[in-house]
Amino acid sequence: MERIEIQGRGAIAGRVEGYALVCPESITGWGGIDPATGLIKDLASSRRGQSIAGKILVIPGSKGSNGWSCYYSITRVSGANPKGLIITRIDSSSAVAAVGLNVPTVVDFPAESDPCQVIEDGDSVTVDGSTGRIRIIRK
């Protein structure tokens, strides 16, 4: 088993473990996910048909309008939210979504540690939103 660690900046405190869902092109919020189920509907997403529910969602940042954050926040109400967030570069919409989700979140990684490049779908990932540390165990 290969073990890898990368370091970002902790944004929302807490520690969570789960399986990664890596969306290197991000996911449109408004219409890109079903907030009741977490199912990805974005036609441009390579992960269309998969669900963010219960996963560690790995994205480069937000995609689309500022309504993006609302859809992610609604997943928390419906119980279809990700367990944790890893965001390569935080922006205003992804920051609002992270606060609305209130799950451990790590952001702002150096270019050589881009989580969308380092982490693979299905990897076991530990997100420590307090220290900014990500631990990865290859699937």
Side-chain angles (χ1 to χ4, degrees):
M1 248 185 289
E2 183 181 10
R3 296 175 187 267
I4 303 166
E5 287 191 11
I6 57 176
Q7 184 69 45
R9 181 173 59 85
I12 306 290
R15 188 172 185 269
V16 67
E17 296 177 22
Y19 293 103
L21 177 62
V22 182
C23 299
E25 65 282 325
S26 198
I27 310 163
T28 302
W30 196 311
I33 59 169
D34 179 343
T37 63
L39 191 69
I40 299 171
K41 303 186 313 180
D42 187 340
L43 296 175
S45 176
S46 59
R47 303 306 186 254
R48 185 170 186 243
Q50 296 183 45
S51 178
I52 66 172
K55 302 281 180 27
I56 304 296
L57 183 60
V58 184
I59 56 174
S62 66
K63 176 181 170 185
S65 71
N66 60 0
W68 189 88
S69 57
C70 298
Y71 279 80
Y72 287 86
S73 297
I74 293 169
T75 65
R76 180 176 177 213
V77 175
S78 69
N81 58 290
K83 291 171 75 172
L85 286 175
I86 300 173
I87 306 170
T88 304
R89 287 277 168 255
I90 197 157
D91 54 53
S92 59
S93 292
S94 58
V96 172
V99 169
L101 285 168
N102 195 32
V103 296
T105 303
V106 178
V107 302
D108 295 340
F109 293 82
E112 67 275 5
S113 299
D114 180 347
C116 290
Q117 301 296 320
V118 175
I119 302 170
E120 298 177 1
D121 278 350
D123 283 349
S124 178
V125 178
T126 301
V127 177
D128 191 327
S130 301
T131 66
R133 183 159 303 199
I134 305 293
R135 291 188 174 103
I136 305 150
I137 300 174
R138 287 276 181 241
K139 57 183 174 183

